[in-house]
């Protein structure tokens, strides 16, 4: 029973966007099967070959800009609309939670539709999708230095403000839903443990196609495609409240 007074926190990963047509990172069809993350998703890779890294991001920007939220993103929006206090801590860079209508979303790994200046750190949006790919390395309108995708790569620290906000939320949450993540990437993989340490009555449900390292911690793992299991779960929560 998740009463209307309960605070719900969601940790989402790439599995929630799979049904929208965005590939996950790991697993047999995952991006890391085809691409080497050391060549594409580290600050060292960008220093070594910014063209290659931007080329990969242009491909993903093109792909992601064509996608729409799926039934799983919409289910979380429905829960918010129905009056629940729900905050989403997402590892995804695709903005599909906001595009579905969820209003409280913290981006742990940044946002693909934003760029950041490598020198003055100015953040800007892509003016329009027509510009993905032109020029190959975009430059800052303020200081003319190279721009990079405003995402968090391996070996980079997450924005401390977002991490602190996430910790505060995890401390006060009553229900934690872990949705479509392998639970392998830190610090997000640690969040469920932190939340449980703070509140031993915390209920944690995991939604995934398969068990993960987090499955031994959670109260229930609901196996299946999250675009089916999450809407079913949300309907039940709303009906029973
Ligand atoms: C479905 C489904 C369907 C599919 N329905 N389910 C402590 C211990 C060990 C290592 C470290 C540590 N602390 C830090 C590290 C190093 C590193 C790390 O975690 N390495 C591990 C891999 C071992 N972490 C970092 O470097 C982080 N920085 C940091 O901690 O700073 C401090 C520090 C720095 C240096 C040293 C030490 C400390 C930064 C991590 C940044 C991750 N960046 C990426 C790219 C983002 C940008 C972009 O998108 O372009 O983030 S990598 C990639 O992995 C991406 C994702 O957000 C992230 C998580 O992946 P996710 O979402 O879980 O996807 P998958 O593919 O792994 O899983 C999909 C799941 O969905 C699967 O389980 C499927 O079964 C399921 N699924 N379809 C339901 N329909
Ligand atoms: Zn600049």
């Amino acid at each position: 029973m998740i009463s209307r007074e309960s605070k719900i926190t969601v940790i989402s990963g790439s599995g929630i966007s799979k049904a929208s047509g965005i590939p996950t990172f790991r697993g047999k069809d995952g991006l890391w099967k085809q691409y080497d993350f050391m060549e594409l998703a580290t600050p060292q890779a960008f220093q070594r070959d910014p063209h290659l890294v931007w080329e990969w991001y242009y491909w993903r920007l093109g792909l992601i800009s064509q996608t729409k939220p799926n039934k799983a993103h919409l289910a979380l929006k429905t829960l918010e609309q129905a009056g629940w206090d729900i905050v989403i801590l997402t590892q995804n860079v695709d903005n599909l939670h906001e595009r579905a209508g969820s209003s409280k979303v913290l981006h742990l790994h940044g946002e693909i539709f934003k760029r950041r200046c490598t020198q003055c750190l100015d953040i800007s949006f892509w003016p329009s999708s027509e510009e993905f790919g032109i020029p190959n390395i975009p430059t800052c309108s303020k200081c003319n230095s190279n721009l990079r995708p405003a995402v968090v790569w391996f070996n980079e620290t997450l924005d401390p403000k977002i991490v602190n906000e996430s910790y505060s939320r995890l401390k006060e949450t009553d229900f934690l839903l872990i949705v479509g993540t392998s639970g392998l990437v830190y610090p997000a993989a640690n969040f469920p443990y932190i939340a449980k340490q703070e509140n031993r009555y915390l209920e944690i449900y995991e939604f995934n196609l398969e068990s993960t390292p987090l499955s031994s911690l959670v109260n229930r793992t609901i196996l299946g495609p999250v675009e089916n299991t999450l809407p079913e779960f949300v309907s039940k929560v709303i009906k029973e409240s």
Side-chain angles (χ1 to χ4, degrees), residues 30-227:
L31 290 168
W32 300 153
K33 268 265 170 313
Q34 214 181 330
Y35 303 98
D36 181 354
F37 70 84
M38 291 300 287
E39 301 291 326
L40 297 166
T42 63
Q44 294 76 14
F46 189 73
Q47 255 173 1
R48 203 165 42 235
D49 194 345
H51 286 271
L52 179 75
V53 173
W54 265 119
E55 211 177 294
W56 190 63
Y57 275 90
Y58 285 138
W59 168 68
R60 288 179 62 213
L61 274 161
L63 179 87
I64 292 172
S65 60
Q66 300 298 316
T67 60
K68 290 204 303 266
N70 65 57
K71 286 188 283 174
H73 300 104
L74 294 169
L76 296 177
K77 185 272 312 244
T78 304
L79 211 46
E80 180 176 341
Q81 256 180 352
W84 269 270
D85 173 357
I86 171 167
V87 174
I88 303 173
L89 313 180
T90 189
Q91 298 169 83
N92 300 342
V93 297
D94 55 33
N95 284 3
L96 284 174
H97 287 300
E98 286 95 331
R99 287 196 265 158
S102 289
S103 71
K104 290 188 252 171
V105 184
L106 293 177
H107 290 273
L108 301 170
H109 295 164
E111 293 176 65
I112 201 164
F113 294 111
K114 289 183 181 168
R115 310 93 57 96
R116 187 171 71 241
C117 177
T118 51
Q119 292 306 316
C120 77
L121 309 183
D122 183 58
I123 301 264
S124 52
F125 277 97
W126 276 97
S128 85
S129 57
E130 271 101 75
E131 292 180 51
F132 297 157
I134 315 166
N136 189 287
I137 302 178
T139 49
C140 178
S141 60
K142 302 219 162 92
C143 75
N144 212 33
S145 305
N146 285 349
L147 296 176
R148 55 160 283 177
V151 300
V152 183
W153 286 322
F154 283 116
N155 303 330
E156 290 187 311
T157 51
L158 281 62
D159 179 341
K161 189 169 163 277
I162 291 181
V163 173
N164 286 338
E165 272 182 58
S166 302
Y167 285 160
S168 308
R169 176 66 189 190
L170 289 164
K171 279 183 190 167
E172 58 176 28
T173 201
D174 302 303
F175 282 87
L176 181 61
L177 310 179
I178 304 171
V179 181
T181 177
S182 58
L184 292 172
V185 176
Y186 291 84
N190 238 346
F191 284 5
Y193 294 94
I194 291 168
K196 192 74 184 180
Q197 243 167 25
E198 294 292 332
N199 172 9
R200 62 197 175 99
Y201 300 109
L202 172 73
E203 287 281 318
I204 311 182
Y205 292 172
E206 178 184 41
F207 297 78
N208 203 304
L209 293 177
E210 57 189 30
S211 301
T212 73
L214 297 172
S215 304
S216 56
L217 173 78
V218 306
N219 299 81
R220 271 188 75 187
T221 295
I222 298 159
L223 293 174
V226 75
E227 56 278 16

